[in-house]
Amino acid sequence: MLKHRGFPGRLPGTDHQFTIRRANPRGATRLVARERYRDRSAADRRADLAFMAALWDHFGAEPFERGNLDAGRLSWLFGREVIPATDDFDPESYEALLKIDVARARLSFPELFEGEDPA
């Protein structure tokens, strides 16, 4: 399992985890698209924004390996702002390649991209 050095481990001051310390010996937790309802707590919305900002700062628009990124946190963005980067995507693999759907991320998190050229 690839460990993304320099990636934040969690949202400061909360229990919202962004990375895991070690691989699960039974295999990676499956990535699933979780529905984000409007009544989610402010802390959950802050965690989504902070995680998306960390992904954007760390990887930009380039494909990246899932590695030690937390499956639970990824699942809140998966299928919308974070999408599979390959046709043979395995949602239960630490080596799976993902990428940010920049157009969708700009719509979902406009404050993250303020002042940037959309091109």
Side-chain angles (χ1 to χ4, degrees):
M1 173 183 74
L2 173 68
K3 291 194 175 190
H4 297 292
R5 302 289 180 208
F7 199 90
R10 64 183 52 245
L11 180 62
T14 71
D15 287 333
H16 294 289
Q17 182 173 309
F18 292 172
T19 60
I20 58 175
R21 292 182 186 182
R22 60 190 145 277
N24 183 341
R26 293 172 299 199
T29 301
R30 181 179 190 80
L31 292 179
V32 294
R34 291 184 176 173
E35 189 65 35
R36 290 193 312 252
Y37 295 103
R38 290 184 177 268
D39 64 347
R40 289 182 71 215
S41 73
D44 286 333
R45 290 192 305 272
R46 272 194 322 274
D48 290 343
L49 176 62
F51 187 66
M52 186 69 226
L55 289 173
W56 183 248
D57 290 343
H58 211 76
F59 306 113
E62 297 300 315
F64 58 92
E65 191 171 314
R66 173 184 172 178
N68 71 329
L69 299 176
D70 181 64
R73 186 55 45 201
L74 266 174
S75 290
W76 288 111
L77 304 176
F78 185 69
R80 290 176 296 273
E81 297 84 11
V82 176
I83 57 175
T86 60
D87 290 333
D88 62 341
F89 178 77
D90 180 3
E92 294 181 17
S93 171
Y94 290 116
E95 289 80 31
L97 291 179
L98 300 162
K99 67 180 178 180
I100 295 173
D101 181 339
V102 179
R104 189 87 182 256
R106 284 183 191 280
L107 290 174
S108 299
F109 302 102
E111 61 275 29
L112 179 62
F113 298 95
E114 284 178 356
E116 285 190 24
D117 182 21

